[in-house]
């Protein structure tokens, strides 16, 4: 069975990550390698401006180095724009394919599925929930590769300048590799609960709208309100937890980066 014949709900993220996006991902990787190399140039130029141009009082060197520095900054900005554009294109193209294939899969399901499933669940899956998966295809590969290459490039440059200070700075990163994944794991678990709670809320809204005549006939406004409030309060607690873990990951990353 080919990848295209595998049901959309059973396909791995890697099939979307590469598959028809393989050529674009390779192009993105090539641009990232160039961008990482260019990002090192301003550091070396700043050092040379101080150690050579200013120390030797060489105006010609100062002008040359400033020209190289500005060229590197412009090139870095253009490369970053190109990387972001490619990421968005890959992500949105993949999201469109996901939605098309998921829609075909859903309408091909047996009628019994639609008797048991609220329309809100189906709509939420196609419109909201799948968007994050599509966006991640455009971001996850490039971001991971760029982070690794940037770390290696800067680490190599630091060791070239001063091995002892570089070793002290790099010694912090193993701690990050232990703490951040644990926080991210908890954030992912909270996000899964958030998705399920959001589905429950969508289903409840659809159920109430669909049975609005019965609600009016029996005057069960307060009963329905209490049911809905229970779901909303649960979603409130879940979203608070989810955001706390998200912020914890970000703050921890920033703290250790600044500490390093």
């Amino acid at each position: 069975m080919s990848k295209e014949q595998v049901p959309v709900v059973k396909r791995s993220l890697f099939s979307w990550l590469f598959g028809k996006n393989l050529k674009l991902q390779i192009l993105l990787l090539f641009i990232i390698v160039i961008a990482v190399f260019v990002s090192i140039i301003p550091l070396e130029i700043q050092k040379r401006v101080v150690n050579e141009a200013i120390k030797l009082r060489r105006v010609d060197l100062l002008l040359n180095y400033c020209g190289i520095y500005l060229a590197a900054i412009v090139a870095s900005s253009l490369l970053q724009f190109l990387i972001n554009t490619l990421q968005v294109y890959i992500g949105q193209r993949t999201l469109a394919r996901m939605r098309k294939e998921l829609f075909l899969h859903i309408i091909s399901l047996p009628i019994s599925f639609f008797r048991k499933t609220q329309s809100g669940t189906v709509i939420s899956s196609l419109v909201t929930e799948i968007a994050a998966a599509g966006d991640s295809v455009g971001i996850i590969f490039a971001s991971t590769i760029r982070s690794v290459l940037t770390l290696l490039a800067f680490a190599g440059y630091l060791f070239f300048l001063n091995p002892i200070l570089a070793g002290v700075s790099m010694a912090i990163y193993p701690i990050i590799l232990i703490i951040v994944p644990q926080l991210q794991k908890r954030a992912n678990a909270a996000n899964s609960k958030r998705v399920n709670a959001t589905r429950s809320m969508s289903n409840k809204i659809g159920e109430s709208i669909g049975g609005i005549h019965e609600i009016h006939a029996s005057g069960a406004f307060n009963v329905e309100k209490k049911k809905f409030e229970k779901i909303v309060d649960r979603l409130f607690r879940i979203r608070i937890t989810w955001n706390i873990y998200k912020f914890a990951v970000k703050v921890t990353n920033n703290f250790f980066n600044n500490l390093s």
Side-chain angles (χ1 to χ4, degrees):
M1 181 178 290
S2 66
K3 289 183 179 180
E4 293 299 329
Q5 292 176 312
V6 176
V8 62
V9 293
K10 294 184 178 180
R11 290 178 59 183
S12 68
L13 181 62
F14 288 101
S15 67
W16 299 102
L17 190 61
F18 299 107
K20 293 184 177 181
N21 292 322
L22 181 59
K23 292 182 179 179
L24 286 174
Q25 295 285 22
I26 292 174
L27 174 61
L28 189 56
L29 175 60
F30 178 72
I31 297 172
I32 287 173
V33 171
I34 298 175
V36 170
F37 172 76
V38 171
S39 67
I40 299 294
I41 295 177
L43 299 178
E44 178 65 18
I45 294 301
Q46 289 178 58
K47 185 190 73 171
R48 294 195 179 193
V49 165
V50 175
N51 293 346
E52 297 177 17
I54 295 178
K55 182 178 180 180
L56 299 176
R57 299 177 183 272
R58 293 275 304 274
V59 177
D60 58 330
L61 281 180
L62 180 62
L63 294 175
N64 289 337
Y65 287 148
C66 286
I68 296 172
Y69 183 88
L70 290 174
I73 295 297
V74 171
S76 180
S77 299
L78 292 175
L79 288 169
Q80 182 58 52
F81 178 79
L82 186 56
I83 289 171
N84 291 341
T85 301
L86 274 174
Q87 285 180 317
V88 170
Y89 179 78
I90 292 172
Q92 292 305 308
R93 189 175 80 157
T94 303
L95 177 58
R97 286 177 51 222
M98 283 181 171
R99 280 184 171 142
K100 292 173 184 177
E101 294 189 27
L102 182 59
F103 180 76
L104 177 61
H105 173 77
I106 290 174
I107 61 176
S108 302
L109 292 172
I111 299 299
S112 58
F113 169 81
F114 297 95
R115 294 195 184 103
K116 297 182 295 182
T117 306
Q118 294 287 338
S119 60
T121 299
V122 177
I123 295 171
S124 180
S125 298
L126 276 169
V127 176
T128 306
E129 296 171 17
I130 200 173
D135 290 339
S136 67
V137 170
I139 296 173
I140 187 171
F141 175 73
S143 296
T144 302
I145 295 298
R146 183 168 190 178
S147 296
V148 172
L149 291 179
T150 301
L151 176 61
L152 293 176
F154 276 78
Y157 182 72
L158 289 175
F159 275 103
F160 170 75
L161 294 177
N162 191 311
I164 296 177
L165 290 178
V168 172
S169 296
M170 298 303 296
I172 296 174
Y173 283 94
I175 302 175
I176 301 176
L177 295 177
I178 294 173
I179 297 177
V180 172
Q182 292 299 319
L183 292 173
Q184 188 61 56
K185 184 178 180 180
R186 294 175 182 270
N188 292 341
N191 185 50
S192 180
K193 292 180 180 179
R194 177 190 66 84
V195 171
N196 291 331
T198 303
R199 284 181 177 179
S200 298
M201 185 175 68
S202 299
N203 290 338
K204 181 58 187 173
I205 294 172
E207 179 184 317
S208 298
I209 298 301
I212 193 66
H213 296 292
E214 289 78 5
I215 293 174
H216 275 261
S218 59
F221 303 110
N222 288 330
V223 174
E224 292 298 314
K225 179 175 177 286
K226 288 180 180 178
K227 290 180 180 178
F228 186 71
E229 285 178 346
K230 185 177 180 180
I231 297 173
V232 171
D233 289 341
R234 178 170 177 266
L235 181 58
F236 165 76
R237 292 190 295 271
I238 290 173
R239 289 187 68 91
I240 290 294
T241 303
W242 174 54
N243 278 286
I244 287 174
Y245 281 122
K246 278 204 312 177
F247 295 148
V249 171
K250 185 175 181 179
V251 169
T252 303
N253 268 325
N254 291 338
F255 170 74
F256 281 108
N257 285 336
N258 291 331
L259 184 62
S260 176

